[in-house]
Structure formats: structure tokens, C-alpha cells
Amino acid sequence: MSQRITPQHKVSEPPALLRWWLDYRRVMLLLLTLFIAITIVYPLYQVFWRSLMVDGEWSLANYSAVFLRPSNYMALWNTLWVSVLATGLAVLIGTLAAFVVQRTDVPHKALLSVLLVLPFAIPPLFSAIGWVQLAGPVGLFTQWWRELFGAPPPWNIYSPGGIIFVLAVTNYPFVFITVAGALARMDSSLEEAARTSGVGPLRIMKDITLPLVRPAILGGALLAFVSSIDNFGIPAVLGMRAQFYVLTTRIYEALTIPNMPLATAMSVLLVLVAIVCLVAFRRLEGSRGQYAVISGKSVTPNVIRLGKARPWVLAALYLTLVVIVLMPVFALVLTSLLRFWGADLSADNFTLRHYIAVLNQSGARRGIINSLILAPAAATIIVIVSAMIAYLNVKARQRGAGLLDGIATVPFALPGSVIGVSMILAWSNPAFGPTLYGTLWILLAGYIMRYMAFGLQSTRSTLQQIHDSLEEAAWTSGASRLRTIRDITLPLLRPGMLAGWVLIFISAFNELTVSVLIWTTGAETIGVWIFLMQDSGFTGRAAALAVLTLPVILLLYLFTQWLTKLEARRRERRAGKPDA
Amino acid sequence: MTAILTLDGLTKRYGQVTAVDNVSLSIDANEFFSLIGPSGCGKTTTLRSVAGLESAQQGCIQMAGRTVFDAATRRDLPPNKRPIGMVFQSYAVWPHMNIYENIGYPLKVRGLPRDAIKARVQRVLDMLGMGNLGARMPSQLSGGQQQRVALGRALAIEPSLLLLDEPLSNLDAKLRESMRAELKQVQRDTGLPILYVTHDQDEALAMSDRIGVMSAGVLHQIGTPTEVYTRPATRFVLDFIGTVSYLPCEVLKWEDESVKIRWGEAGEASAMLGVNQDTPKHGPASLAVRPEHVLLTPVADAIQPGLARGRVKIRAYLGDAWEYHVRVGECLIRVRTDSAQALEEGSEVAVGVRQGYVVNADDAGQERVLFS
Ligand SMILES: Nc1ncnc2c1ncn2[C@@H]1O[C@H](COP(=O)(O)OP(=O)(O)OP(=O)(O)O)[C@@H](O)[C@H]1O
Ligand SMILES: [Mg+2]
């Protein structure tokens, strides 16, 4: 059948070793590894290594220093209990809201779902300031309470309780989104089975539905918790005045002294807290096993009829939304427009002088410009680098690219303060290269480290959805590898890159936790200026600057929402047809 | 005829798995060649090696007179340098390009002028009966239309060889039938040699000029559909192509050109066809029969020599035929008779065999046996 064939012509080709090195994948991997090593591995290494060094000797003295002074170890303890309680409250709000929206016949579901996740678009620092203006000593709520009851209110916003409350109303959307999603995708035949055996709707909620969404609740809680221990703005505005410190604010204090070794050791402790909690959550999740009941389709879920209570539930929901979402923003806007806080709301008390003052302050102007440079720069660099890593990992299946992806994702789990400290350690007197400390570059480096995971996540998941055969079809059509990337892969990857870019832009634009540790004169950001002005008593100006940035953030936020909707609709449209 | 494609000793391993094991074949101009075999037997891997999407560890591939792959000299042309068109199981129609751009892409990449591209794409669209759909986006097409676009894209450059990997398996049964005919028509019109991969034997038998049957990476037989069906080279091919049932038998005599066996109650039968077994075996063996080669008669008083006694267990009406499951001794055999002959379930029948294959007990080989 077959005849033996000897090759007729030999083509001269470069020797194997040279070809091996010239392969573009290896060259790319090498360059990307270098980039990740410099921006992520080196700073991390600095934190852990330096925390174990005293005067050039191995020592645990930095750690014992943490535990020798109560003010230090109290911060660790405070971080833990404040975050746990704030997460508990966030779980309560988020789960309740998700059940009401998904499993009752409450009207206006679409609008409620949008409003309930709006806190995502409001930077925590802004809510903290808003809440001071609402519930602080001269806040609106405080005044109303006094008029109604003639006595000082039973709360104090400058307290652990205040921090817990504001953290909770900032972070509950994490829980709401995961739980509402799980409820929407849950196979309702499980609930129906219970209903046909004569079990009441409330009982079904408790015995069937709630246990089934437990993993989702835990997942949302984990995100809320990590976000709580990471937060700087809220405990800084609400806690430092009352001498109540958590790790992030303590690290900030240690750096203003400055006591670098202490800040470093506390950073490592913060990492340990994060890791311990991650493991604990995994345990909780794993102990009950994974439920594989959340399938793609949804028929008629078990819905509780609210009956007469329906308008009341709706009213309560709207009231809650107004209080926890709209009022802080309203207070912020009002603050920026009033001559002073607590002034009567008469026409001659309204003024634009805070805005004028902010815009006349060269530092604040610089902050705005810096943020407008840094956010798009960080977003662009991250998206390009992560698209290349994701391509090597998912498409070219280059060995080592998966590991690189994993390493570059690590900072996602690290609290921002740790990243800030690592930046100072790595770039204020670096072993090689220029000193970045004191320039904008250090902020850029910090943002890249902090948000690398966002870019990787969005590009990776988009690439995974692009079937290999789409590229192979171009290749067998005669297109070279590069041309295939240009004509096929990039256009299909673009939506994912855009989504990642906007997300990083929003996050970096109002970043505070990292920036507040590494800013220097000339290299401030919007977030830093708002914090500094608030911290030194210029609340009106802080509010004015915040109000100036809110539209940018809100618009971009709405843009991302629209993008995800568009993507979902496109996927739905394609769902009927295999693959294309 | 000159060979358009020649594989010689192609071997591809993934770690411990040998996906393609020393496969050699050649495809002539104008030929429709199908690779068929069960899932995971290495068909796709073979096809992808031909396309250049996988690099084999051993062997060489010649295409249109050129060596495109040779493991010995480490020559390995990338897919874009091979004169092929390929259609993927998942269509792989690019969702961000319209139909016109999809089909025109291979031409654009080759730097053809716009006018030429336009004319060629329109010709392909007309040939596929989609002349007015050029401006549509893929998401606005049905599955069958998308598969036609994929085919058009592969045909656009008029390649030397067309590679198809289960192109019809995502379509529903009706559409599959009509696409089958259409594909065959396109092949006749263009005279393009085709390497076609499928695990559907009806498809392969109906369309191919020649078929290669694969199992576990090994190419068991190459032949025309009739050859593969009537003269299976190995036990695997016998089992895989068509349906067979097994009956116990005994080999009495096995000589150069003939074999004599005994099966059934008292039967003795001799076979005349070429015996190419190296070492003739005597003793117990199996007789493999196809459903259409079994004769059923309502039981007579006495069973004649060469017949066996059986009982109808299940019957199914197929419209143009009856299918029976008949118990003979310990075995259950499948039988197909024309629709005129209806036998009741549970009735006793005499079973005769017109034609069968003797399979040695050790499975080493089999030979076709004709009964007179
Ligand atoms: N990239 C890969 N890595 C490891 N093993 C592989 C890879 N691709 C294929 N294999 C293995 O090689 C063998 C042959 O696979 P192949 O895809 O060629 O089968 P196939 O005949 O096309 O099957 P199907 O009819 O299911 O498409 C299988 O055992 C498969 O698991
Ligand atoms: Mg296959």
C-alpha cells in the first residue's frame, strides 16, 4: 500500500539550539518573567526578607517588637474582630437582600438589583466621609435625633462600631451578588420536590434553599472579609481620631514615624491573617462538600408571596437603600456646597468656594493630573502584559506560563498596605536600577502589583472561551502565527481586555490604601489628597474633590455594567448554535 | 495515478499514549479517502499531523510532491505553508467577520487583489447555494449554513487537499444526509482529493472511494467500502464495520485454499475462498455472521445438516425489514429479513447461514467462509 519515500530536498535550517531560543514563545516568556520578577516577586521578597533582618543579621526581633507593645498587637486583634463583625453584618444585609429580590414577589426587581450593587461604585473613603457628615457629632442624623428626642444620639461614628457599620454597608454587595447569582441559577426542581411533598415556602427556604446557597454565602463573605482587612480609608477616618487602630492604620502610623522594620513585620502579620482566613473559609466550604445543584436553567423558583406586606417590604427596601447608598453621597455633595457643615440650608449658605479652593491648590490639581495619568497607564500596561501571559498560558500552552500567571495573581490576596510597604522597601534604595521612591513611578509600580490579577482574570477567562479551532482555522487558511493573533485572537480578546482595563482604571483612579503609604510631595493622587484634606479638617474641600471624581467613576462603572450585559446577551444569542 | 498525500510510518505519542502508531497511507488525485474508527483511536491526531497542527515523532508526510514533514531531518512546515483547506468539527467560523470576510480570508492572507477575492468568494457562495448571504454575520446563520461557510472557506484557495474532521457530526440527522450528498457533489465538481475523518460508518461507506479503518492508533485496513465490508482484514474491522454475531464452530480441516468447519446441530460446511492464514488452526473457533446473511425458516420437523435450532426472542419492525434476536444454543444472534417474512416472538425457527467468517478462538485472525 505504501511505498517508502526518501526526502528529495534538504533545506538548510538554523541549528536546533538556536531555533529553540528564537521561538517567539520562549522569548516572550522570558521577558514576561523578567517583568513579573521585577514588579511583583522582588518587592514581595523584600518584605519577607527584611522583616527577618535586624542590622544585617537574621532575627525575629521585629516580630517580638510587634508583640512587646500593646498598641501593635492590639491593632492585629482589632483588625480581626472588626473585620469578622463587619463581615457578619455584610452577610446579613447581602443575603437578606438577595432572598428578597430573588425569592419574593417584591416589584421593581431589576431596579433594585442595580441600586443594591451601587456601593461598589463609591470609594470606601467617600462613604466614610459621607457617614461622618451624617452621623458625626454635627451630622444630619445626629441633629434630627436631637430635635426628635432632645438627647444626644446613642451612637458614636468615631468608634469601632462606626467602622464596622460603614465597612458592612460598603462590602455587602459582594455577598449580595454571589448569593443572588446562586439563587438565580439554582435548579428549582429541588425546591419543587419539597413543595409537592407539602412543605411550606418558608420552611423550604430554611431547609432546602439556604443550605444550597451556603457555598455562595461563604464565597461572598470571604470577599467581604478580605476587603475589610484590606481597607484603610474607613478605619483611618473613623478610628484614628478615637485612637482606635487596626493593622492598616498602624502601618500608616509606623511609616510616618518612620519605623520601617515595624511596618514590615506588621505587613507580614497582615499577610498571615489573610492566609489563615483564606484557609479557614476553604475548610468551612469543604466540610459540607460541594453541591453540584446549581445548574444553568431556571424554571419557576419557590417564591414567597408577600401579600399585604408587599408595599411595606418594598418601602423598607427603598428606605434602606436611601439611607445606606444615597444619603452618604448626598451628604458628600451637600458638604461640598455648604459654607460650613451644620449651616442652615438657606440660599446664602450655598457656595462654590470649596471647589474653587481645591482647584486653586496646586497640589490638589497635581493629584488630579497624577491620577489621570496613573490610572490609564497602569490599566494599559497591566492589560497588555496580562494578555500576553494569558495567551502563552491558555493558547500557546507554553510550559511555565501557568506558573507565571499564578505568581502574578498572588498580590490579589495581599492587603494593600503590604503592597505599599513592599514598594518602599524595594524601590527607595533598590539593589539595582533607579530609586523610584519620590516619583510617580513608585505609584505606578504599586498599582501594577495590586491590580495585575484583575487583568489576568479578565483576559484569561476571555481567551478560554475562544475555541482553539478558531485560531487553527486561520492558521490552516494560510495566516502565519502573528497574523492569526492580529486578525483573529486580538479582535476576539478585545472585549475582555476592555472590561479589564475599565475595572483597573476605576480601582486605580481612587486607590488609597497603597497610595497613602508611598506618596511623596509632587507624587500625590486624588485619593491621597481627599484623605489629607479630610484628615486636616478641610472636610468641605475633601468632599468637593470627591464629588468631582464621582461622575468619572460612576460613568465608567455604568459602562462596565453595560459591557457585561452586552456580553451576556451575546453569549445567550450564541447559545443555540454550537461554538461559532 | 499520482499520490497527492503520502504518510509513511507516522507515529505520534502524547506521553505514554501512542495516538498514532506507524500509520502509512496514500491518497490519489480525485480520491475521497475516509479515516474511520472508534472514539480516541487517533483519527483527529492523524488529520492534524497532516495539517501541521501537530508534529509527529516519527515518519514523514509528502504533499503534492513536496515533503512537508520529516521527523528524520526535522523538517516541519507550519500549517500556513501547506497547500490545504481544513474544515473543523466545531465549524470555527470567525464570529467577528461576516460570511464574505470569512470565506475571503485565506485569499486576503495570500495577498490576492480585492476584485479577484470578490469574484472567487462569490463563486464559492454560489456553489454552496448561499449567494445572497455574504453580508450576514455567523450568529445569524443556522448550524448547517455555518458548516457550509467553513467548507467554502476551505475551498476558496482551491487547495491541493481538503481535510475534514467530522464536519457533519454537529448537524441533525436530516441535515446530515443532505450535506453528505452536497459534499460528495462538491468533490465531484472540483475533483479535489479529500481526507475525511468520521466515526460514522454509514457516512464513510456512502461517500468514500477508499476507507482506512483505525483502532488504538493502528491502521488496520485500507480498501474500498466493499472490500472493507466484505473482506475485513482483521477481527477489529470485522467487528467495527457493520454488525456481526458469533456462533461456536469447529474447524475440521484448513488447507491452502479451503477450510472445512462444523457448526449447528449436525452441519458440516466447507469454504472455498482464499485462505491466507499462515498457520492453519484446527479445533474450536467462532463463526461470525452478519444479520443479512442468516436465513430463518419456521421450524421443520427435522433439522437439516448445516442448520441449527433457534427461538425468536425479540423482533422489531423497521419498515423495510424485520430485525430478530434469535437464541441459538447459548448465543443470541441478530438477523435481518425482508419485511414479507414475519415470525412470532417465541416461535421456533431453523437457522441457516449463507455466508460467514471463521474466527480463531485466539482471535489471531479470521477468514471469510462461503457456504454453498
Ligand atoms: N493534546 C493531547 N494531549 C494528550 N493526549 C492527547 C492529546 N490529543 C489527543 N490525545 C490522545 O490521543 C488519542 C487519540 O486522540 P484523537 O483526538 O486523535 O482521537 P479521535 O480518533 O479523533 O477520537 P474522536 O472520534 O473522539 O474525535 C486519545 O487517546 C487522546 O486521549
Ligand atoms: Mg476526533
Side-chain angles (χ1 to χ4, degrees), chain A residues 189-364:
Chain A
S189 60
L190 292 161
E191 290 177 336
E192 265 156 23
R195 206 164 357 155
T196 49
S197 39
V199 185
L202 274 174
R203 188 74 196 275
I204 295 176
M205 286 285 161
K206 188 174 134 284
D207 290 351
I208 313 276
T209 320
L210 200 59
L212 286 177
V213 293
R214 221 179 83 115
I217 296 178
L218 280 175
L222 177 62
L223 292 173
F225 186 85
V226 170
S227 170
S228 296
I229 62 172
D230 176 89
N231 197 287
F232 171 78
I234 293 169
V237 170
L238 302 179
M240 289 195 333
R241 179 183 289 214
Q243 300 293 315
F244 179 84
Y245 285 95
V246 294
L247 273 178
T248 51
T249 45
R250 195 82 231 168
I251 290 172
Y252 175 71
E253 285 278 308
L255 282 180
T256 47
I257 298 173
N259 184 345
M260 208 59 217
L262 185 65
T264 312
M266 279 193 295
S267 299
V268 175
L269 286 181
L270 199 47
V271 174
L272 291 183
V273 172
I275 292 175
V276 167
C277 294
L278 274 171
V279 172
F281 271 100
R282 277 284 135 73
R283 272 282 160 76
L284 270 178
E285 244 177 349
S287 64
R288 281 293 199 84
Q290 293 292 327
Y291 299 98
V293 290
I294 301 200
S295 69
K297 54 184 178 293
S298 166
V299 204
T300 38
N302 173 36
V303 166
I304 295 179
R305 307 211 179 290
L306 295 171
K308 283 211 187 81
R310 202 164 160 222
W312 294 106
V313 170
L314 186 67
L317 259 180
Y318 275 125
L319 187 68
T320 314
L321 276 171
V322 166
V323 170
I324 66 178
V325 181
L326 296 184
M327 283 301 282
V329 177
F330 171 71
L332 210 58
V333 175
L334 204 59
T335 307
S336 73
L337 291 170
L338 278 180
R339 283 206 298 133
F340 60 95
W341 191 239
D344 297 331
L345 299 185
S346 57
D348 45 334
N349 274 336
F350 279 91
T351 168
L352 285 177
R353 68 174 190 178
H354 298 309
Y355 288 91
I356 295 166
V358 163
L359 292 175
N360 275 336
Q361 201 168 348
S362 64

Side-chain angles (χ1 to χ4, degrees), chain B residues 273-286:
Chain B
L273 262 157
V275 175
N276 56 13
Q277 199 77 11
D278 293 336
T279 45
K281 295 274 174 19
H282 295 266
S286 291

Side-chain angles (χ1 to χ4, degrees), chain A residues 445-458:
Chain A
Y447 293 171
I448 289 176
M449 180 159 169
R450 183 157 204 201
Y451 299 120
M452 196 70 209
F454 290 9
L456 281 169
Q457 169 59 29
S458 57

Side-chain angles (χ1 to χ4, degrees), chain A residues 11-85:
Chain A
V11 187
S12 70
E13 282 172 37
L17 194 65
L18 188 62
R19 241 182 357 200
W20 193 86
W21 275 108
L22 284 180
D23 187 317
Y24 77 104
R25 282 169 292 188
R26 282 198 190 79
V27 177
M28 256 171 83
L29 185 71
L30 196 72
L31 293 176
L32 291 168
T33 307
L34 207 63
F35 181 86
I36 296 299
I38 293 173
T39 56
I40 290 174
V41 179
Y42 173 64
L44 275 185
Y45 161 77
Q46 285 286 330
V47 174
F48 292 98
W49 182 67
R50 293 273 191 97
S51 74
L52 292 169
M53 282 278 162
V54 172
D55 301 329
E57 301 263 326
W58 291 105
S59 162
L60 286 174
N62 293 325
Y63 289 95
S64 51
V66 174
F67 290 101
L68 279 179
R69 298 235 344 250
S71 60
N72 294 336
Y73 64 73
M74 279 311 283
L76 175 61
W77 168 239
N78 288 342
T79 293
L80 277 177
W81 72 265
V82 163
S83 301
V84 166
L85 290 183

Side-chain angles (χ1 to χ4, degrees), chain A residues 166-181:
Chain A
V166 180
L167 277 176
V169 298
T170 311
N171 287 332
Y172 80 85
F174 285 117
V175 183
F176 174 78
I177 287 181
T178 49
V179 176

Side-chain angles (χ1 to χ4, degrees), chain A residues 11 470 472 477 487 577 580, chain B residues 48 75 94 105 110 139 146:
Chain A
V11 187
L470 288 172
E472 288 170 355
S477 290
D487 289 349
K577 289 146 195 166
Chain B
R48 289 170 60 84
R75 181 178 174 74
W94 299 305
Y105 185 76
R110 286 176 174 77
S139 58
Q146 291 192 39

